[in-house]
Amino acid sequence: MTDFYDILGISKGATAAEIKKAYRKKAIEFHPDKNPGDATAEENFKKAAEAYETLSDPQKKARYDQLGHQAYTSGGAGGFGGGGFGGMDMDDIFSQFGDIFGGGGFSGFGGGGGFGGGGRRRVKGKDLRIRVSLTLEEAAVGVEKKVKVKRKKQAPGVTYKTCTTCGGSGQVTRIQNTILGRMQTSAPCNVCGGAGQTMDKKPAGADAQGLIIDEETVSIKIPAGVETDMRLKVSGKGNEAPGNGVSGDLLVDIEVKEHAELQREGNNLHYDLYVSVPEAVLGTTKEIQTVTGKVRIPIEAGIQSGKILRLRGKGMPSVNGYATGDLLVHVNVWTPRNLSRDQKEFFESMMADSHFEPAPEKGDKSFFEKVKDMFS
Ligand SMILES: [Zn+2]
């Protein structure tokens, strides 16, 4: 389990200055401008920001140390709303930078190395979230779903221009004389908010950023094997950003509906099969519902109630494509409740018959042995 200290690569006893220094290092390493299109870097960037958000605040830090990582990030405990990680968006993170990279005499950033854009914020549109539900059959083979999404987009006719205050750099730089000599400090431009651009022409109906809401049909490819509460990301289908910023993502929460006959347990499926007493005695074939259609299976003569038949590979595929589960058919022998006089007489005559005497053999495993087998 990685906790916030691991994420920043520091020990529990780290001082406030050490925490800040560690975060600054991570923020530079994983900054989106340095890692364009790298989703892992972006994830690390967000995680580092979340770790810093908590550990830099003495009250939050105390609460985090007390509760532990799991409880802190999953609960509403002062941290991020529900759901832990992913609660901070890029806007929140960049606004944190004023503190980290702004004042405090940190100079020379963006001149030589550092961020490609000289500290200019890469403005990203907000991520949008939707929930998509699908049947178990759809989840078994994968499906493409078309959903209508209301996204913010740049209004037709809107134009943006370079911010005149910061000249497009997004940063305002000042030279200060300190006891250490002349130091260059920079802070995000408060006219453009660090984006380096401001709106030039605002069409009617557009908001303060020049955006309008538009409904769009988005096609989502859902891979085989998904489960309820898995989340997919459709890059670039969240809100658009103003100017030359990048669009946010569309986050898709998956819901797989319950099936009337099949119960899912990981990649395995369970099916309850009922056979009559004569079918169990004489043997038969039975049609079984699977996620990819019906199959007919033989039922051997003398089958016992409670037997589990394993149909290999007829379960759900794993979402990473490495394996496919099985379909476990639970055999239930249906005992009739209402018999005619003749039928009753027949069974009465069998009462003393040794063929009807239960005599479980080694092969007829007990319920507990079967359960043990299933999970081994
Ligand atoms: Zn500006």
Side-chain angles (χ1 to χ4, degrees), residues 162-172 188-198:
T162 302
C163 173
T164 49
T165 307
C166 62
S169 71
Q171 298 278 307
V172 182
C189 168
N190 56 22
V191 173
C192 63
Q197 285 187 315
T198 54

Side-chain angles (χ1 to χ4, degrees), residues 31 33 90-91 94-95 97 115-125 154 160-172 187-200 208-211 240-246:
H31 195 280
D33 280 359
M90 285 301 200
D91 284 348
F94 285 114
S95 63
F97 276 10
F115 306 160
R120 172 154 44 86
R121 267 196 216 185
R122 198 172 72 143
V123 178
K124 193 179 177 196
Q154 289 188 9
Y160 298 89
K161 63 178 180 189
T162 302
C163 173
T164 49
T165 307
C166 62
S169 71
Q171 298 278 307
V172 182
C189 168
N190 56 22
V191 173
C192 63
Q197 285 187 315
T198 54
M199 187 166 41
D200 192 19
Q209 293 183 302
L211 305 175
E240 281 187 2
N244 54 14
V246 295

Side-chain angles (χ1 to χ4, degrees), residues 2 19 48 78 83 132 159 207 211 221 235 239 314 322 331 349 352 360 362 369:
T2 23
I19 293 169
V132 166
T159 55
D207 68 10
L211 305 175
K221 283 209 175 74
S235 291
N239 285 344
K314 292 286 182 192
Y322 292 133
V331 176
S349 72
K362 269 230 156 78
E369 283 170 319

Side-chain angles (χ1 to χ4, degrees), residues 22 24 39 52 57 71-72 102 108 118 126 167 203 222 229 235 255-256 263 278 280 314 323 328 364:
R24 199 151 70 183
Y52 180 71
D57 180 322
Y72 182 86
K126 271 225 179 283
I222 299 169
D229 290 339
S235 291
E255 183 191 11
V256 180
Q263 279 89 47
K314 292 286 182 192
L328 300 157
D364 305 325

Side-chain angles (χ1 to χ4, degrees), residues 321-337:
Y322 292 133
T324 302
D326 301 329
L327 173 56
L328 300 157
V329 178
H330 299 251
V331 176
N332 300 277
V333 176
W334 181 259
T335 311
R337 293 198 179 106

